[in-house]
Amino acid sequence: MSPSVPPPAFTDLLAGATRSAVHLEMRDAYAVDYESGPFAEWRRGHRHDPADRASWWRPWLGLVEETVARGVVIRRARIVSEPVSEYTRFLHSFTFTNVAAGELVRWLPRRRASELALPGNDFWLFDDRTIYWNHFTGDGVSAGGEVSEDPGALKLCAGAFESVWSRAVPHDQYEIH
């Protein structure tokens, strides 16, 4: 896709998926506001109540539920350093909400990823035909997305995700270290 053409909205890409949407996350922290917002609330002791689905991360979880209801399998794999960062502890604490919405989530300790060929950026891969690259600054702030249908990149991302997925631990079995 030409750099002058803005990428399609992520929600449109997910809405267009018919079989699968996979997401590979490889950072130990993403931009968080230490003073306010969900991360700060978590640091002060807030935890999601499993019985209060309405309070969970919206509108994302609603979109996941709708997508899964259409028959699309959504898988998320996270490569994490151990001992994990405070941010990873935060992510882990509410990942049960993603699972409840229909995502399949696994965690891979970074030491077990050393022999894997991985792309340089986090990504979503839709139906093995469209990549949505997630670009971040060094501080973890989103630097925007980019869409690609390059055959070589598609092959790399599909293979990388499956390699990570096969080594990773399902969310309900992963213990924070």
Side-chain angles (χ1 to χ4, degrees), residues 10-11 14-15 17 21 49-76 94-104 124:
F10 175 83
T11 53
L14 190 56
D49 178 354
D52 185 10
R53 290 178 73 102
S55 71
W56 297 352
W57 187 22
R58 303 292 175 180
W60 172 251
L61 296 174
L63 181 58
V64 169
E65 290 168 337
E66 292 168 13
T67 304
V68 170
R70 291 190 292 109
V72 176
V73 176
I74 301 177
R75 296 184 293 161
R76 179 187 304 260
F94 70 81
T95 295
F96 77 90
T97 66
N98 298 72
V99 173
E103 278 190 58
L104 304 172
W124 280 88

Side-chain angles (χ1 to χ4, degrees), residues 92-153:
H92 190 270
S93 77
F94 70 81
T95 295
F96 77 90
T97 66
N98 298 72
V99 173
E103 278 190 58
L104 304 172
V105 180
R106 292 188 181 180
W107 303 79
L108 181 64
R110 191 170 309 281
R111 287 182 178 270
R112 295 187 54 211
S114 295
E115 299 93 21
L116 302 180
L118 300 170
N121 293 290
D122 290 9
F123 65 87
W124 280 88
L125 177 60
F126 301 98
D127 295 329
D128 293 324
R129 62 185 162 93
T130 305
I131 302 164
Y132 184 89
W133 297 109
N134 295 114
H135 297 294
F136 295 94
T137 67
D139 293 335
V141 175
S142 175
E146 178 184 2
V147 173
S148 174
E149 294 178 351
D150 175 76

